[in-house]
């Protein structure tokens, strides 16, 4: 079985396909990116350097009415941000965090999109340009729309814990 070599050439092609106006092409590109980011963590830095975070945020804006694309894009951003110290800041700087917030505001009732958006936000944190209180309010509102969804409540509670300060005794 041959393995695909992930190099800068392939990442440049992926950047171009994410810029497509065809939602199906963008959706499948995000699916591919999700597969390689969960399997090969060492390529995450190359993905950021190739400009894929910025292109992802742009695609999320372009396809803001396509829940399928947004769900996959959120999963990709969450994968990139998972388990890394400085990477969430890089994602925020390149517009990824704000794109996830916009996604939550656009699809607050769609549980599949909300699950992936909250999972991404849990890994990457809220963007500086979005007030913490606004993020908390949005997360609480989304929880209210999905009262019986344990996955949404789990992600939401983990996000809310990031904003709680417990005074020392």
């Amino acid at each position: 079985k041959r393995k695909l070599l992930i190099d800068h050439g392939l990442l440049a092609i992926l950047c171009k396909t994410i810029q497509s106006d065809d939602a199906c092409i963008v959706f499948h590109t995000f699916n591919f990116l999700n597969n390689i980011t969960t399997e090969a963590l060492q390529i995450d830095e190359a993905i950021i350097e190739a400009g894929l975070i910025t292109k992802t945020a742009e695609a999320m804006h372009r396809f803001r009415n396509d829940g399928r694309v947004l769900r996959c894009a959120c999963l990709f951003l969450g994968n990139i941000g998972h388990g890394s110290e400085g990477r969430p800041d890089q994602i925020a700087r390149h517009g990824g965090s704000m794109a996830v917030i916009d996604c939550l505001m656009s699809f607050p009732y769609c549980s599949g999109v909300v699950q992936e958006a909250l999972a991404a936000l849990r890994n990457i944190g809220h963007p500086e340009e979005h007030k913490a209180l606004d993020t908390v309010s949005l997360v609480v509102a989304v929880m209210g729309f999905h009262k019986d969804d344990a996955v949404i409540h789990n992600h939401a509670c983990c996000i809310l814990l990031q904003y709680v300060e417990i005074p020392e005794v």
Side-chain angles (χ1 to χ4, degrees):
K1 189 173 175 180
R2 298 185 103 184
K3 295 282 185 178
L4 177 64
L5 178 63
I6 308 296
D7 63 3
H8 291 289
L10 176 60
L11 294 176
I13 291 168
L14 294 171
C15 272
K16 287 200 181 298
T17 61
I18 286 177
Q19 295 176 53
S20 171
D21 288 328
D22 185 330
C24 192
I25 289 171
V26 174
F27 170 76
H28 289 295
T29 302
F30 282 130
N31 271 338
F32 175 74
L33 286 166
N34 288 325
N35 288 330
I36 65 172
T37 53
T38 54
E39 305 248 338
L41 295 175
Q42 69 272 15
I43 67 154
D44 290 355
E45 289 304 321
I47 283 173
I48 292 169
E49 290 172 16
L52 278 164
I53 303 302
T54 302
K55 299 301 180 202
T56 296
E58 291 169 358
M60 290 174 77
H61 179 71
R62 220 172 35 259
F63 294 103
R64 65 185 162 274
N65 295 320
D66 190 324
R68 183 177 70 136
V69 170
L70 293 176
R71 183 178 181 180
C72 280
C74 286
L75 178 60
F76 170 60
L77 291 173
N79 285 345
I80 294 295
H82 182 71
S84 171
E85 289 293 314
R87 204 165 296 132
D89 293 337
Q90 290 176 310
I91 293 169
R93 262 194 317 278
H94 293 284
S97 299
M98 198 62 218
V100 172
I101 293 288
D102 290 343
C103 176
L104 275 174
M105 291 191 287
S106 297
F107 282 88
Y109 302 105
C110 181
S111 63
V113 174
V114 169
Q115 286 176 359
E116 294 305 338
L118 290 176
L121 201 56
R122 178 180 177 178
N123 288 340
I124 62 180
H126 85 280
E128 287 183 24
E129 64 269 21
H130 197 257
K131 293 180 183 152
L133 185 58
D134 292 340
T135 301
V136 168
S137 297
L138 178 59
V139 170
V140 169
V142 167
M143 287 174 75
F145 299 143
H146 302 276
K147 292 180 175 136
D148 297 325
D149 192 318
V151 173
I152 287 175
H153 281 258
N154 178 44
H155 290 312
C157 288
C158 289
I159 291 167
L160 294 175
L161 278 174
Q162 296 173 8
Y163 296 96
V164 173
E165 282 190 39
I166 301 173
E168 291 188 33
V169 180

